[in-house]
Amino acid sequence: AQTVTQSQPEMSVQEAETVTLSCTYDTSESDYYLFWYKQPPSRQMILVIRQEAYKQQNATENRFSVNFQKAAKSFSLKISDSQLGDAAMYFCASRIQGAQKLVFGQGTRLTINP
Amino acid sequence: KAGVTQTPRYLIKTRGQQVTLSCSPISGHRSVSWYQQTPGQGLQFLFEYFSETQRNKGNFPGRFSGRQFSNSRSEMNVSTLELGDSALYLCASSLGWGPDTQYFGPGTRLTVL
């Protein structure tokens, strides 16, 4: 069975600073994918970044990057130069190869202080 | 290209009624998944469809059912509604059955009174 755990229910950061959101996961599969999704107050779930487990290189998307530690089953999200528009709930999710089902963590509410 | 659309966006029902929610995937996408989001349980997987076939089902009672049509549009139905069914129901679509990324719709907010 897959599980995803986000241990930080809430985080806050000053605008323009850097923040890291934590995520750990567990799976017995060798081929899987990891995601960070953002859910702003509009409730629209937006993909932030994805990582294929077979890739050693950490994924990056502009100000967003991940630290993927496969042996430790850790997948943290770093947001650089935080902007007010980054305020949202952030969900870590996993998916195994051969299935579309996403398993989500409990979410981290990120607040950006001006 | 238009995103995933879900109708209706908001719905109020009473206990015992049934409800049907609709999801239209991004044009060309053939895979659709459904999720239930509640404050207490978080995001939980309901079902996933590809080419009109249910490929996987989450741990929900038989009152929850779904289907996919030949144009990839999907519907989910909840019969004999209970108060605990109040939730945001999210639909996601992806291109195929491979490693494609899923894109979510805006959700349907269901309130059961």
Side-chain angles (χ1 to χ4, degrees), chain A residues 28-42:
Chain A
S28 56
E29 301 289 327
S30 58
D31 201 1
Y32 55 91
Y33 308 90
L34 298 167
F35 305 84
W36 279 97
Y37 279 92
K38 165 186 175 181
Q39 189 178 43
S42 68

Side-chain angles (χ1 to χ4, degrees), chain A residues 33 35 37 39 42-47 50 52 89 91 95-106, chain B residues 9 31 33 35 37 43-45 48 56 88 90 94 96-106 109:
Chain A
Y33 308 90
F35 305 84
Y37 279 92
Q39 189 178 43
S42 68
R43 306 301 252 170
Q44 175 87 47
M45 196 76 79
I46 301 163
L47 176 69
R50 69 176 262 165
E52 288 82 357
M89 281 290 286
F91 291 96
R95 196 182 95 199
I96 63 174
Q97 173 65 19
Q100 296 293 300
K101 172 186 174 181
L102 286 165
V103 175
F104 287 91
Q106 303 92 318
Chain B
R9 293 292 311 278
S31 179
S33 302
Y35 297 84
Q37 185 176 23
L43 282 149
Q44 294 187 289
F45 168 78
E48 59 190 24
N56 201 355
L88 180 69
L90 293 166
S94 61
W97 195 246
D100 310 296
T101 296
Q102 293 181 61
Y103 297 92
F104 283 81
R109 168 75 66 186

Side-chain angles (χ1 to χ4, degrees), chain A residues 10-11 33 47 57 67 73 84 100:
Chain A
E10 296 184 357
M11 292 280 285
Y33 308 90
L47 176 69
Q57 187 172 9
N67 183 5
K73 294 186 177 176
L84 295 177
Q100 296 293 300

Side-chain angles (χ1 to χ4, degrees), chain B residues 37-105:
Chain B
Q37 185 176 23
T38 60
Q41 299 298 316
L43 282 149
Q44 294 187 289
F45 168 78
L46 280 157
F47 359 78
E48 59 190 24
Y49 290 90
F50 178 73
S51 292
E52 301 177 66
T53 302
Q54 186 179 90
R55 297 299 180 104
N56 201 355
K57 188 176 192 300
N59 188 24
F60 279 82
R63 301 184 296 106
F64 290 80
S65 62
R67 58 179 175 169
Q68 186 181 34
F69 301 95
S70 58
N71 62 357
S72 296
R73 189 177 70 85
S74 177
E75 287 181 348
M76 66 163 282
N77 185 75
V78 188
S79 63
T80 319
L81 284 166
E82 299 177 0
L83 295 179
D85 297 332
S86 295
L88 180 69
Y89 290 88
L90 293 166
C91 164
S93 78
S94 61
L95 196 58
W97 195 246
D100 310 296
T101 296
Q102 293 181 61
Y103 297 92
F104 283 81

Side-chain angles (χ1 to χ4, degrees), chain A residues 6-36:
Chain A
Q6 294 178 249
S7 58
Q8 306 155 315
E10 296 184 357
M11 292 280 285
S12 64
V13 64
Q14 290 296 126
E15 192 177 2
E17 293 189 347
T18 296
V19 64
T20 298
L21 308 184
S22 302
C23 172
T24 58
Y25 64 93
D26 194 17
T27 179
S28 56
E29 301 289 327
S30 58
D31 201 1
Y32 55 91
Y33 308 90
L34 298 167
F35 305 84
W36 279 97

